[in-house]
Amino acid sequence: MLNDKVAIITGGTRGIGFEIGKVFLENNAKIVIFGSKEESVAKAIIDYKNDGYDVRGFYPDLNNYDEIEKTIKEIESEYGKIDILVNNAGVSANRKIEDTTSGDFANIMNLNINAVFNVTKATVEVMKKASGGVVLNTSSMVSIYGQPSGVGYPASKSAVNGFTKSLARELAPYNIRVNAVAPGVTNTDMIAALPKEQVEPIIKSIPLGRIGEPRDVANAFLFLASDLASYITGVVLSVDGAARS
Ligand code: NAD
């Protein structure tokens, strides 16, 4: 489905991003992963190698635009193009507002939306030259329904939705599609880090009766990245088992 496409996946070292990488590779894409640290990127490259795939990796500071631009230019000169960008790196929050500092709130915004802006801005320049591309963002179910604490997280993911819908309209004339996937509770380290008492009631309320697996989410990214979605832009696709809490 992605023959010879070149894809960048931020947060591609583990969890949902790692699985998006796998499903893209299984569909004949070439992938470049971004992670937060040299060690985690190196580990992920070995994990992909063990599955039989060669993957390139970088660990730029996603809040440093100059560093991002330099990395994107390096990828462009190495691969000649960038067809797909997946903005997937993200952090969650669960503390009540009285226990959240303005610095905590800013940190969430920095990674979950400001970094999305930075990587997209630099990559779109490459896509415009090629007259087309696909930008995909990882939103969240809580961008639509909110959550009982950790207000920065749903706020940042709501911003991702607004970014997606608006940029889709701006970039449509360049044949660049922009969509988001809004996962529900998905079986990754991010969920393992949350208190049990916060996660269990959510799982109980999921109509499909189970937590999502990274592959459930990655398959939605595959569809939206592929030509099967050639007339779809500006959507936020829920992949949440109809969870509504
Ligand atoms: P995870 O914690 O397993 O992975 C997060 C990824 O983000 C890692 O690859 C990590 O390297 C990267 N990352 C974290 N901080 C970074 C930083 N400062 N700079 C660069 N990269 C950084 O989480 P996950 O569950 O796989 O989450 C992936 C995305 O899915 C996130 O955007 C998250 O908000 C979203 N999401 C997850 C769930 C869930 O239930 N797991 C639900 C909805 C949305």
Side-chain angles (χ1 to χ4, degrees), residues 7-20:
I8 295 175
I9 303 165
T10 75
T13 58
R14 59 172 199 253
I16 291 171
F18 185 83
E19 199 66 18
I20 294 168

Side-chain angles (χ1 to χ4, degrees), residues 11 13-16 88-89 111 138-139 153 157 183-184 186 188 190-191:
T13 58
R14 59 172 199 253
I16 291 171
N88 167 76
L111 182 63
T138 309
S139 180
Y153 185 63
K157 294 298 188 178
T186 311
T188 69
M190 182 174 276
I191 290 307

Side-chain angles (χ1 to χ4, degrees), residues 102-113:
S102 61
D104 296 333
F105 188 83
N107 284 342
I108 294 262
M109 288 295 175
N110 275 340
L111 182 63
N112 291 8
I113 183 62

